[in-house]
Amino acid sequence: MAALAAIFNFLALNLVLLIASLPVITLPMAVNAATVALHRWRDEGEDSVVAEFVGALRSRPPLRTTVLIGVPLAAAAVGVAEVHHFIRGGSLTDRVYLGLGFGALLITLMALGYVFLLTAREPGWSPADLWTVCAGLAIRNALVTGPLFLIEIAGATAITLIDPALLLLGVPLLLLQLMKLTAQFGLRRAGPKQAP
């Protein structure tokens, strides 16, 4: 029965995450609420994940959450568009811009896990402090957690492109959980002096 309850909670939380993300502007708030619900479910044993999701969605200030999480998500989207644009160019300048864009995209993608984890744990961050800490953690842990973040994101993207119906079976929530675990590992690895 516990396994069935866990499967139901996972699928229900994934479904409300997808529904809340349908209008693109609410994606940062939905991701944050799902991360909070995951944190309370796994770390605190709170079993009513949909109620936790709705509670987190209502209790967190929408504009603040959108800024804290939405800006790094938008930066990742801009990075993907930039890499896509410059990959087609053949000049030396295009190659330099491609390298710079690819580096910035990698750091942004590696920092997203820390952004999700830290905003779920402590919503009181100022945007500049949060982004600075997360980028620092991403750079500091680039050789250890960086590849893990990239494998998680690439795997979820590939699975979704192969079969979009898998979005309904938990790919977004699984990606959030894996990124949360990787970010926790990165925070432990950074040590108490370097972690926030």
Side-chain angles (χ1 to χ4, degrees):
M1 288 305 278
L4 286 176
I7 290 171
F8 174 78
N9 282 339
F10 186 81
L11 292 174
L13 184 56
N14 186 71
L15 184 62
V16 294
L17 168 64
L18 289 174
I19 291 170
S21 298
L22 283 177
V24 175
I25 194 73
T26 61
L27 178 66
M29 294 178 296
V31 167
N32 183 256
T35 307
V36 169
L38 274 173
H39 174 70
R40 291 182 182 155
W41 180 28
R42 288 294 167 205
D43 297 342
E44 299 173 12
E46 182 56 50
D47 207 22
S48 55
V49 293
V50 174
E52 289 296 322
F53 178 88
V54 172
L57 200 59
R58 287 183 178 170
S59 68
R60 305 284 170 117
L63 181 60
R64 180 174 185 73
T65 304
T66 301
V67 169
L68 287 173
I69 295 176
V71 170
L73 285 173
V78 168
V80 167
E82 182 177 320
V83 166
H84 183 263
H85 173 75
F86 287 114
I87 205 162
R88 293 178 285 169
S91 71
L92 179 62
T93 307
D94 287 338
R95 296 297 170 203
V96 169
Y97 290 150
L98 175 64
L100 292 172
F102 192 66
L105 176 62
L106 289 178
I107 291 171
T108 303
L109 290 175
M110 291 185 295
L112 277 176
Y114 297 110
V115 169
F116 297 155
L117 179 67
L118 294 177
T119 54
R121 283 186 179 174
E122 302 168 24
W125 286 90
S126 74
D129 290 341
L130 175 71
W131 302 331
T132 302
V133 166
C134 292
L137 286 166
I139 292 168
R140 192 174 309 120
N141 294 321
L143 297 177
V144 177
T145 60
L148 295 173
F149 282 128
L150 297 177
I151 289 168
E152 294 160 2
I153 293 168
T157 303
I159 288 171
T160 302
L161 289 175
I162 291 170
D163 189 3
L166 292 176
L167 285 172
L168 295 174
L169 293 179
V171 171
L173 197 59
L174 178 63
L175 176 62
L176 275 178
Q177 180 63 17
L178 290 174
M179 290 180 81
K180 177 186 168 202
L181 294 173
T182 303
Q184 287 174 337
F185 173 66
L187 285 176
R188 282 194 306 271
R189 188 177 176 284
K193 292 181 183 177
Q194 297 177 349

